[in-house]
Amino acid sequence: MNSSISSGAPANRASTLDIRNHDRDLAGLTYVYPVLSRRAGGVSIGINLNPNNACNWHCVYCQVPGLVRGKAPDIDLARLQDELRGFLADLIHGSWMARHVPDGARVIRDIAFSGNGEPTSAAVFGEAVELVAGLKAEFGLAADVVPLRLITNGSLLGQARVLSAVRRLADAGGEVWFKVDAGTVDGIERINGVHLEPEAVARNLQRCALACPTWVQTCMFRWDGQVPADADIEAYLGVLEAAGLEHLRGVLLYGVARPSMQAEASRLSALTSDELEAIAERIRKKGLTVSVSP
């Protein structure tokens, strides 16, 4: 076993964390990586179950270089446990925060299944949830202080093994951030790179929200210089309504703060804060809480 991991000390390759740099290699580990999350408001400990850069979607704003179609590889759960235990020890009891996190942000905000692809595509996703929940308890990280999150495109929620794992996440006091970026077949295909009916997105969103506290996470931006059309926003709202607004915790609306690493990057540009707020107001009129991160 790698001695730098088993000793509880991650490889010392990280620079100072920045909200614009979510490099998965900063800590020098395979499955565990820290980022400074503008949405979470501090250090987010990422769990990357897709170190092969494989995802079943191809989102145009994705920051993963070398993204390929596919699913997560076989996961070494023992290595994941060793890496996370060592990294948590250095964060909580060591000097990692002081060395690599700016003043004012030296707080653990969450542990999040995210990474370089769709985490629920890992065959052992459920076992990984149990493992991470156990380590959170081992280090005394209460769910109301350091929640366990799943950041997902939700496309696999129709699979019994994934829905079961999401229920385990709920039992651990966790929550889901479920990606919905568009509400039409054309919009989903253009933004997320998959041919998917909006009704299917709504069904999976409802399944998720009934199994675990769920926030919708939505990225909006200019496409070829054009802001999202009114009809597109209405269609997006229609997906949320079809899932059942009463089941949702709210919407995390954000813009493109970091450059896309995909071929479509040149077609994307950021909305202004006022433009994002205007969209947020349309969502709020449906009765949902909205958090905006330009």
Side-chain angles (χ1 to χ4, degrees):
M1 185 175 290
N2 186 306
S3 61
S4 68
I5 296 171
S6 60
S7 67
N12 187 19
R13 289 164 41 184
S15 59
T16 301
L17 294 185
D18 183 271
I19 62 169
R20 296 182 183 278
N21 183 5
H22 282 197
D23 184 352
R24 307 293 192 247
D25 296 325
L26 285 178
L29 302 172
T30 299
Y31 299 119
V32 178
Y33 66 97
V35 298
L36 195 59
S37 171
R38 72 189 194 279
R39 280 177 286 166
V43 176
S44 175
I45 303 170
I47 307 297
N48 182 14
L49 299 183
N50 303 79
N52 59 346
N53 294 355
C55 188
N56 61 342
W57 285 21
H58 177 93
C59 297
V60 295
Y61 52 76
C62 183
Q63 295 104 33
V64 175
L67 184 70
V68 297
R69 296 279 186 171
K71 62 181 181 179
D74 292 338
I75 303 300
D76 184 342
L77 290 172
R79 186 180 184 89
L80 170 59
Q81 182 178 51
D82 205 28
E83 287 187 0
L84 184 57
R85 179 179 279 122
F87 192 65
L88 285 172
D90 203 5
L91 276 181
I92 296 169
H93 305 301
S95 61
W96 203 94
M97 286 276 203
R99 288 182 285 124
H100 302 300
V101 181
D103 286 339
R106 292 172 183 167
V107 58
I108 303 172
R109 287 300 187 192
D110 67 8
I111 300 178
F113 287 95
S114 181
N116 291 15
E118 174 50 43
T120 64
S121 69
V124 294
F125 174 62
E127 290 86 340
V129 169
E130 290 187 351
L131 184 157
V132 174
L135 284 173
K136 277 182 78 274
E138 179 181 316
F139 281 88
L141 301 175
D144 59 340
V145 178
V146 181
L148 181 58
R149 292 189 168 113
L150 164 64
I151 301 176
T152 178
N153 62 35
S155 61
L156 303 179
L157 260 294
Q159 297 184 11
R161 67 166 187 88
V162 175
L163 190 58
S164 175
V166 167
R167 292 192 178 109
R168 294 182 209 177
L169 187 77
D171 291 342
E175 66 180 23
V176 177
W177 290 4
F178 188 113
K179 181 194 303 291
V180 182
D181 294 323
T184 65
V185 171
D186 288 346
I188 294 168
E189 193 155 14
R190 172 170 55 86
I191 296 171
N192 305 124
V194 288
H195 185 84
L196 196 59
E197 296 290 337
E199 294 79 9
V201 177
R203 283 195 301 271
N204 279 336
L205 178 55
Q206 185 179 80
R207 286 187 182 111
C208 189
L210 291 174
C212 185
T214 298
W215 289 80
V216 172
Q217 62 158 9
T218 300
C219 185
M220 290 200 177
F221 46 84
R222 281 184 172 80
W223 178 263
D224 291 338
Q226 300 299 309
V227 300
D230 287 346
D232 288 333
I233 295 173
E234 283 303 312
Y236 159 83
L237 292 171
V239 171
L240 307 192
E241 289 174 320
L245 299 176
E246 69 277 12
H247 304 314
L248 305 176
R249 290 300 175 97
V251 174
L252 305 169
L253 178 64
Y254 65 105
V256 285
R258 300 183 302 277
S260 167
M261 299 300 289
Q262 308 313 310
E264 300 88 349
S266 63
R267 306 187 71 176
L268 314 183
S269 56
L271 295 171
T272 67
S273 295
D274 287 346
E275 287 166 339
L276 280 171
E277 281 293 344
I279 295 170
E281 277 306 304
R282 294 180 66 170
I283 302 171
R284 292 184 183 112
K285 286 179 179 177
K286 298 293 183 179
L288 289 171
T289 298
V290 184
S291 173
V292 179
S293 299

